[in-house]
Amino acid sequence: MADGASPEAHPATFRDGAQSAGNPSSRRRVLGRVVASAVSAVAVSCGGSPPTSPNSTVVTAPAPTSASASPTVPVTRPAVTLRVHARTGSEDEAFKKRLDTFNQENGRNITAQYEGLDDYFNKLVTLIVAGTAGDTAYLLHTNLAYQQYANAGVLRAVDDLMARDKFDLSPWFAPTRSALQFDGKIWGLPIRGQIVFNMLFYNPGLVGAAGLPDPEKWSHDDLTANMQKLTRKNPSGTVEQYGAMPGGWGDFSSTVTLMRRFGGELITPDGKTVTINSPACQAAFQWCYDGWHRTRSLLTPLRPTGEGPYTPLGNGSAAMMVSAQGGFRADINKAVNGAYKPEFRVMPLGPGNRVGGFLAMNSSAILKATTHPDESWEVLKWLANKDSSFALATQQVGSNTPNFRKDTYCDPRLLDDPRFSPASMAAICKGAELAEPDATIGNLRYDEFNKLLGARLAGLRDNQAEPTTGWLNALRADLQAIADQPRQTGIGG
């Protein structure tokens, strides 16, 4: 996800990347040194390999070939049970299925138990501080949880394991390796990944009835004009059907995406200098402001209490969703509930000659306190493989975001998903190839940065502010003040 400044400011929980940092609790602000000390204490007290148990597997080593060979020496592998943490609601279906298969096939007497947590990051931090966490944890990069946990000494780097096993990242899209690196090391393996906010979902019946061509052929100006053509108002002026609704608003990653679409950047690649007050960024905000408050062709992302984030696509009150996430196609299809077959395409190029997007990576990592790092590494490799990636991409519930593997995004089995048209599924492959990297906040102060950003952007959404030069300069100054602070030492997510 974590996914906008607050649940109200964003239409969805971005379970695959842009997870919301709203309402951070004190448990998520644990000092890194306290966590690191707790982890070290657990590792020391629990260090060493466990003794052979009655359930140990005996593996017979190959007999030496010389005539004077010694008798065969049995090699024992103790039975090991691992606890694998991830979020409830997003990974459940695929993780449970794939870990069941792992337990049957790993051949090393390893049992991996899926342990999903709701209120994930708060509960994970509590377990870590209490010394009762499991062996691996699922971490988002977009909200900097991956980086924060590494910085706090909670994770075990895996570079040595990758080198030992010659683990090959070539099946992944090129930006993956750099996204995995923090402070010169790799701390986990990618389990999910996508270029977020790069898709246009639409109701083909409404688009066709308006006489509009396939959105794949649209320019940005066409998109703007067609949003207005698809907006329908009653005689009193009340909007009954909006041309579109946004796929995200108010959080760090959706803002990065919007700025890039218009040729700007929220922050420099090193995460140190805020650039949100550029003319390109101003034009991006103005486009949204005009859609909400002047042409009224853009439905606000603020959903009424009890209404699902994709309900407007299902009930016809929005004809399209712009800058959406392809990984949410299963949830959108569910919201449509058979009323029509939703279509989606890669967004048309924006004024900056970019679609806009943000590499949202989610990884699983080995917790430093585990006494079973080698066995945990086997689980990470399994969850990162092609079959696990495909299982995530084809879940019937939850997110359909696979691993950021080229051999999954463009796998014919994925492209043949009967729920969607071939043209729509082809967009999934095309969208993953966009050159839209990740972005970060150099001092890891995501919560503070995201909270301020969301609060200010809510003002544009609610018509309490306009994107004037003065407003942007003030926003830039306040965000820069956060970016200038020392590196955060706590863990959150």
Side-chain angles (χ1 to χ4, degrees):
M1 61 175 259
D3 308 309
S6 68
E8 295 79 16
H10 198 281
T13 297
F14 300 157
R15 288 164 297 199
D16 305 306
Q19 178 139 357
S20 175
N23 304 317
S25 72
S26 60
R27 288 177 294 177
R28 298 165 60 196
R29 301 179 181 276
V30 181
L31 289 177
R33 66 185 63 179
V34 174
V35 175
S37 298
V39 170
S40 298
V42 172
V44 170
S45 65
C46 300
S49 301
T52 302
S53 72
N55 295 323
S56 297
T57 298
V58 177
V59 180
T60 301
T65 56
S66 67
S68 58
S70 301
T72 299
V73 178
V75 177
T76 60
R77 283 192 177 135
V80 171
T81 297
L82 303 176
R83 292 163 58 210
V84 178
H85 293 305
R87 304 165 297 176
T88 57
S90 291
E91 289 76 42
D92 297 7
E93 180 184 325
F95 268 42
K96 288 177 181 176
K97 180 171 78 172
R98 290 297 294 153
L99 290 177
D100 283 347
T101 306
F102 172 83
N103 293 338
Q104 298 167 18
E105 297 182 2
N106 69 80
R108 295 186 53 162
N109 212 13
I110 305 171
T111 299
Q113 295 180 345
Y114 171 73
E115 191 170 309
L117 303 173
D118 57 5
D119 191 20
Y120 180 67
F121 286 106
N122 279 332
K123 289 187 177 178
L124 181 59
V125 170
T126 299
L127 291 174
I128 290 171
V129 173
T132 57
D135 301 273
T136 74
Y138 181 88
L139 300 171
L140 279 61
H141 294 231
T142 47
N143 64 0
L144 307 191
Y146 175 86
Q147 296 89 334
Q148 289 173 2
Y149 279 55
N151 184 61
V154 172
L155 306 181
R156 183 202 189 281
V158 299
D159 303 81
D160 60 326
L161 299 172
M162 295 178 71
R164 183 195 70 191
D165 292 356
K166 296 181 173 58
F167 188 85
D168 183 15
L169 283 173
S170 64
W172 279 261
F173 288 102
T176 300
R177 179 176 286 275
S178 61
L180 289 171
Q181 290 180 329
F182 173 75
D183 280 355
K185 295 182 179 180
I186 293 178
W187 303 91
L189 291 184
I191 304 301
R192 287 187 186 254
Q194 63 176 322
I195 305 298
V196 293
F197 305 115
N198 61 349
M199 291 288 159
L200 186 156
F201 280 80
Y202 65 99
N203 182 326
L206 296 178
V207 168
L212 303 177
D214 191 306
E216 191 169 25
K217 301 176 182 178
W218 294 359
S219 67
H220 176 74
D221 288 342
D222 291 333
L223 172 65
T224 304
N226 291 339
M227 284 168 54
Q228 296 178 41
K229 289 178 182 178
L230 290 166
T231 298
R232 190 176 68 244
K233 302 173 184 177
N234 64 24
S236 66
T238 300
V239 178
E240 295 180 337
Q241 176 185 293
Y242 286 87
M245 62 184 295
W249 179 257
D251 75 309
F252 180 80
S253 53
S254 64
T255 305
V256 169
T257 292
L258 178 63
M259 301 303 99
R260 288 175 174 174
R261 182 169 173 74
F262 281 74
E265 288 284 354
L266 168 57
I267 197 166
T268 53
D270 62 6
K272 294 182 178 180
T273 304
V274 179
T275 55
I276 199 170
N277 59 338
S278 71
C281 293
Q282 185 175 27
F285 286 130
Q286 190 68 55
W287 186 81
C288 293
Y289 182 88
D290 289 347
W292 280 323
H293 308 303
R294 292 181 177 162
T295 65
R296 292 191 295 155
S297 58
L298 189 63
L299 175 63
T300 175
L302 188 64
R303 304 268 38 85
T305 301
E307 183 177 285
Y310 309 114
T311 297
L313 286 177
N315 65 20
S317 57
M320 302 184 292
M321 177 178 277
V322 296
S323 294
Q325 297 193 53
F328 293 133
R329 59 189 179 274
D331 288 342
I332 291 174
N333 192 51
K334 184 178 179 181
V336 170
N337 196 29
Y340 61 91
K341 194 170 187 174
E343 292 281 342
F344 46 94
R345 303 287 188 269
V346 175
M347 285 282 290
L349 290 174
N353 203 35
R354 294 170 73 173
V355 167
F358 181 101
L359 173 55
M361 189 79 71
N362 298 354
S363 297
S364 278
I366 301 172
L367 292 173
K368 193 172 184 179
T370 181
T371 56
H372 305 297
D374 287 331
E375 292 84 354
S376 298
W377 171 243
E378 294 302 314
V379 172
L380 260 59
K381 290 190 294 183
W382 181 265
L383 292 176
N385 70 25
K386 182 178 180 180
D387 288 339
S388 295
S389 180
F390 183 76
L392 286 164
T394 54
Q395 289 188 128
Q396 295 302 304
V397 295
S399 169
N400 283 146
T401 303
N403 209 311
F404 201 48
R405 297 177 61 110
K406 293 176 282 187
D407 56 8
T408 305
Y409 268 90
C410 304
D411 186 332
R413 296 179 300 164
L414 179 64
L415 301 183
D416 287 341
D417 189 329
R419 295 174 294 178
F420 309 103
S421 72
S424 289
M425 293 309 299
I428 296 296
C429 179
K430 294 175 185 176
E433 296 171 342
L434 294 174
E436 299 291 356
D438 62 351
T440 190
I441 302 165
N443 62 6
L444 308 184
R445 293 182 178 271
Y446 178 88
D447 283 359
E448 300 163 63
F449 195 101
N450 199 46
K451 182 177 180 180
L452 174 62
L453 180 66
R456 296 292 179 84
L457 296 192
L460 292 184
R461 179 199 66 203
D462 299 337
N463 205 16
Q464 297 171 349
E466 293 188 41
T468 62
T469 300
W471 182 86
L472 281 166
N473 286 340
L475 174 58
R476 188 265 173 193
D478 291 342
L479 291 173
Q480 188 63 53
I482 295 173
D484 287 340
Q485 294 179 29
R487 178 180 279 191
Q488 178 174 300
T489 56
I491 56 178

